[in-house]
Amino acid sequence: MKKQISILLLLLFCSINFYSQDTLKEIKVQSSQKSLQKSLKLTANTTLLSSKELLKAACCNLAESFETNPSIDVNFSDALTGTKQIKMLGLTSPYLMITEENIPSVRGASQAYGLSFTPGTWVESIQITKGAGSVVNGYESISGQINTELIKPIKDIPFFLNAYGSSDSRFELNTHFNRKISDKWATSLFVHGNTRVSKNDMNNDGFLDNPLANQVNILNRWQYTDFQKGFVSFVNFRYMNDKKQTGELNFDPKQDKFTMNYWGSEINTERIDISTKVGYVFKDFPFQSIGFQNAFNSHNQESYFGLNQYNIKQQSYYSNLIFNSIINNTMHKFATGFNFMYDKYEEFVNVADYSRTDNSVGAFFEYTYDNTNNFSLVLGGRVDNHNRLGTFLTPRLHLRYNPWEKGVLRFSTGRGKRSANIFAENQQLFASSRMFDILNTNGKIYGLNPEIAWNYGLSFSQGFKLFNRSGDVGFDFYKTNFQNQVIVDLYQSPQQVLFYNLNGKSFANSLQVEFNYELARHFNLRSAYKYYDIQTNYLSGNQERPLQAKHRFFGNLGYETQVTEKGKQWKFDFTLNWLGEQKLPNTASNPAIDKLPEYSPSFYVMNMQVTRVFSSIFEVYVGGENIGNYKQQKAIVGSDNPFGTTFDTSIIYAPVFGQMYYAGLRYKIK
């Protein structure tokens, strides 16, 4: 029966891809010790962020959950919306596969803001995998995969409350309600609301640093478990409504919308999600299981940026059938199945209609060998037929070898293919005077061809003991080669953005070196140096990718006092990010007052948080972001004339708001 339970949880909770049963058990053992875990036995280069790690910063939403983790780079996408953009291996989030419990979540219309639609308190854990992901989850992953596991009803507590407020007038409230209906049924209701009601202009450019905003987000989860018969299932219902207003301080949408009185913008999004997951473990053969996932979502965004109007509605259906079993013994496992995806887009850029319907059907097979000691491999392939991308193969390979104790060497390679949703993924450019021009080559997606890339990765990690304290050191190197890429060209002219197919070479090289060490009991250091070499052939010649630092340094210090008999404890966390100079888009033809240098200056950002745990059910926390108060000097080009030819809010390489402080509390009923 224990085998049935472990396999069923493996199938449905987080591991219907290439994570083996044995390796998942090792992660569970580590989770009681560390909030950020890297297993020596996982085949893929995967980092697990537990719920404990997410409490080290004010993770108000998923986009803000990576501040204390060196694998993900977090940047602001523009000077207006306050939206944080993530990158992995130097590539933006569209090249990542972002899933929620292994169902694709942030994709298509939700690429720009989708990470902000999952509240941090809903998250149980996050798995970050570098390199090409599993073929079980699809063909789109190029630089990696981020999978989010939400809190399970069967393990949830009866009540949870989180309240948050910050100096930039952002306020949030999260409440979780859980009920065990019977020995087989449990349900959870998650209610989230956030608002920002005050106008802030810390850099005195006449524009809001952060949008006025309101969001209501409700999720109802149902879980059924019958381990005697081998069944586990989930049903999720979710509704989200998000409204943002930004622009000039004096902008009033009731009077000034689509006029030249004041420049302003509104982004209103409504989203409905319904998903189901059913899993069954064969009673007479506990190493064999079958799972069936289905998800429907409707994403409707209505927005305008000054005089530019952008509306997109996406209706999607996703279905995945997975069968897991073994070949002779548990050293040889396989997963196989079919999936189907349907996307209907209604997309309008001003008066231009870019609506389309995409659908694909695919079959996959993935073989896993694990000698349970020092070697494992995952070899997978899939074939898909897409109405626009055609019929194509997707091969993936992951290898893991432990040459000696506490040492692990990994290699991966794989191919990814995707449609570039050029407007949804580059919405920040609408808040500028740039003209959008597509160099049409009669491709089937906006007249362009699909993006195709190969990713290769090598990593090594070694654990050690020094002065009776544990630590680890390691590196990883990844190379992404594009066979075709949809180029977003900001070098041709500051009044124009060009979209066209790659003609020549485009690659992204990423090197990360890590050193982690327990400086004293409950006092831990994390550090990482990252080097990026990202180059593309543009019309103007070979250039660095704009707004990408070649050199980055990450440091994190965390300290916790011993828990007293009454459950009291102090927690301290400090994070430093240093970013080197970044090449900026071309502004050479602008008037002198609206010209930017070729490269941005280097800078550093410091964040910290202090948590006081009064008992196992109540704690408060205070913290600050960017406590060094670094601000980009000229966040908006042409801010004095927003309807002029030089206006651009998208050239953001550093914080705009400056220092931000916050406080919050957490209360539980167990």
Side-chain angles (χ1 to χ4, degrees), residues 252-271:
D252 182 350
K254 294 180 180 179
Q255 301 177 10
D256 305 322
K257 180 179 179 179
F258 295 135
T259 73
M260 297 179 65
N261 299 335
Y262 297 100
W263 194 98
S265 170
E266 287 185 289
I267 306 167
N268 299 326
T269 306
E270 187 175 48
R271 186 177 175 95

Side-chain angles (χ1 to χ4, degrees), residues 229-447:
K229 295 183 179 179
F231 281 101
V232 170
S233 63
F234 293 89
V235 182
N236 298 332
F237 303 95
R238 181 173 173 184
Y239 173 79
M240 193 277 305
N241 188 289
D242 182 81
K243 296 182 178 180
K244 300 183 180 73
Q245 178 198 320
T246 188
E248 290 188 272
L249 289 172
N250 295 324
F251 174 76
D252 182 350
K254 294 180 180 179
Q255 301 177 10
D256 305 322
K257 180 179 179 179
F258 295 135
T259 73
M260 297 179 65
N261 299 335
Y262 297 100
W263 194 98
S265 170
E266 287 185 289
I267 306 167
N268 299 326
T269 306
E270 187 175 48
R271 186 177 175 95
I272 298 172
D273 295 90
I274 301 171
S275 65
T276 63
K277 299 173 72 174
V278 179
Y280 173 71
V281 172
F282 291 81
K283 195 170 184 179
D284 299 328
F285 195 49
F287 301 105
Q288 188 165 282
S289 61
I290 189 167
F292 191 37
Q293 303 169 318
N294 287 275
F296 167 80
N297 68 70
S298 174
H299 180 107
N300 187 17
Q301 176 186 321
E302 297 181 351
S303 55
Y304 62 91
F305 306 82
L307 301 180
N308 289 323
Q309 188 170 6
Y310 179 64
N311 296 327
I312 182 169
K313 182 176 183 179
Q314 179 183 357
Q315 293 178 308
S316 297
Y317 173 71
Y318 171 82
S319 183
N320 199 16
L321 178 67
I322 311 124
F323 177 75
N324 292 271
S325 191
I326 62 173
I327 304 173
N328 295 327
N329 57 60
T330 55
M331 292 172 58
H332 305 273
K333 308 178 185 74
F334 71 89
T336 187
F338 303 90
N339 58 29
F340 172 76
M341 184 170 286
Y342 170 88
D343 295 298
K344 181 182 179 181
Y345 293 95
E346 298 175 30
E347 187 174 29
F348 295 88
V349 180
N350 295 318
V351 296
D353 185 353
Y354 291 95
S355 299
R356 72 181 197 273
T357 299
D358 293 347
N359 59 73
S360 67
V361 60
F364 56 86
F365 184 87
E366 188 169 76
Y367 165 75
T368 300
Y369 170 78
D370 190 341
N371 67 5
T372 72
N373 182 20
N374 64 351
F375 179 76
S376 63
L377 71 84
V378 177
L379 177 63
R382 61 180 296 131
V383 58
D384 291 271
N385 179 265
H386 191 285
N387 65 322
R388 295 180 185 276
L389 307 185
T391 301
F392 55 94
L393 298 174
T394 303
R396 304 273 172 84
L397 172 67
H398 294 261
L399 296 171
R400 184 266 306 177
Y401 175 60
N402 299 92
W404 46 72
E405 186 180 3
K406 295 184 180 180
V408 57
L409 180 69
R410 292 184 173 94
F411 171 78
S412 68
T413 184
R415 183 180 188 263
K417 189 172 184 177
R418 64 180 295 271
S419 303
N421 291 282
I422 58 175
F423 300 116
E425 295 167 11
N426 297 280
Q427 291 186 47
Q428 73 277 10
L429 298 175
F430 284 119
S432 71
S433 62
R434 293 179 184 271
M435 297 294 294
F436 283 57
D437 290 316
I438 302 172
L439 304 188
N440 193 314
T441 55
N442 296 316
K444 294 186 177 181
I445 309 106
Y446 304 103

Side-chain angles (χ1 to χ4, degrees), residues 559-578:
Y559 176 70
E560 298 180 1
T561 63
Q562 190 73 29
V563 181
T564 68
E565 292 183 0
K566 295 183 179 181
K568 295 183 178 181
Q569 186 185 29
W570 286 96
K571 298 179 182 180
F572 303 89
D573 197 83
F574 174 82
T575 302
L576 171 72
N577 277 288
W578 177 84

Side-chain angles (χ1 to χ4, degrees), residues 79-287:
L80 296 176
T81 64
T83 304
K84 291 188 177 180
Q85 179 189 70
I86 65 170
K87 296 181 181 180
M88 183 188 289
L89 310 184
L91 298 174
T92 53
S93 58
Y95 297 105
L96 283 164
M97 172 165 279
I98 301 175
T99 59
E100 186 172 282
E101 299 187 329
N102 284 301
I103 294 176
S105 57
V106 180
R107 55 183 299 275
S110 62
Q111 276 290 355
Y113 311 111
L115 285 172
S116 66
F117 297 157
T118 299
T121 64
W122 296 6
V123 178
E124 181 180 76
S125 65
I126 302 172
Q127 297 95 40
I128 302 171
T129 301
K130 288 187 175 182
S134 168
V135 294
V136 174
N137 294 313
Y139 53 83
E140 294 180 322
S141 169
I142 291 176
S143 62
Q145 178 175 344
I146 296 176
N147 180 58
T148 303
E149 291 293 317
L150 303 183
I151 297 171
K152 309 298 184 291
I154 197 172
K155 297 191 291 184
D156 202 4
I157 60 176
F159 178 76
F160 173 80
L161 171 69
N162 169 236
Y164 167 95
S166 64
S167 59
D168 64 348
S169 302
R170 176 176 172 178
F171 301 96
E172 297 205 1
L173 186 68
N174 292 280
T175 55
H176 304 174
F177 304 90
N178 178 265
R179 184 181 177 187
K180 307 297 188 294
I181 297 174
S182 67
D183 59 343
K184 296 179 181 178
W185 281 99
T187 183
S188 292
L189 178 66
F190 302 86
V191 180
H192 165 89
N194 73 67
T195 186
R196 183 181 283 111
V197 295
S198 297
K199 297 182 177 182
N200 299 298
D201 181 19
M202 304 300 289
N203 58 358
N204 298 313
D205 61 3
F207 281 77
L208 297 176
D209 296 331
N210 293 304
L212 304 176
N214 289 285
Q215 184 185 118
V216 175
N217 209 332
I218 302 171
L219 169 65
N220 184 208
R221 305 198 74 193
W222 293 79
Q223 181 176 357
Y224 174 83
T225 55
D226 188 340
F227 293 124
Q228 294 296 324
K229 295 183 179 179
F231 281 101
V232 170
S233 63
F234 293 89
V235 182
N236 298 332
F237 303 95
R238 181 173 173 184
Y239 173 79
M240 193 277 305
N241 188 289
D242 182 81
K243 296 182 178 180
K244 300 183 180 73
Q245 178 198 320
T246 188
E248 290 188 272
L249 289 172
N250 295 324
F251 174 76
D252 182 350
K254 294 180 180 179
Q255 301 177 10
D256 305 322
K257 180 179 179 179
F258 295 135
T259 73
M260 297 179 65
N261 299 335
Y262 297 100
W263 194 98
S265 170
E266 287 185 289
I267 306 167
N268 299 326
T269 306
E270 187 175 48
R271 186 177 175 95
I272 298 172
D273 295 90
I274 301 171
S275 65
T276 63
K277 299 173 72 174
V278 179
Y280 173 71
V281 172
F282 291 81
K283 195 170 184 179
D284 299 328
F285 195 49
F287 301 105

Side-chain angles (χ1 to χ4, degrees), residues 517-580:
Y517 185 61
E518 184 184 15
L519 299 171
R521 183 172 173 81
H522 303 301
F523 186 31
N524 293 284
L525 166 70
R526 295 179 196 159
S527 63
Y529 164 75
K530 291 180 278 190
Y531 171 77
Y532 297 110
D533 180 18
I534 305 175
Q535 299 184 35
T536 300
N537 281 114
Y538 295 89
L539 293 180
S540 55
N542 190 66
Q543 302 271 12
E544 297 175 36
R545 189 76 54 83
L547 300 172
Q548 173 64 55
K550 267 195 172 185
H551 304 276
R552 295 181 70 122
F553 175 80
F554 167 89
N556 175 264
L557 290 170
Y559 176 70
E560 298 180 1
T561 63
Q562 190 73 29
V563 181
T564 68
E565 292 183 0
K566 295 183 179 181
K568 295 183 178 181
Q569 186 185 29
W570 286 96
K571 298 179 182 180
F572 303 89
D573 197 83
F574 174 82
T575 302
L576 171 72
N577 277 288
W578 177 84
L579 285 77

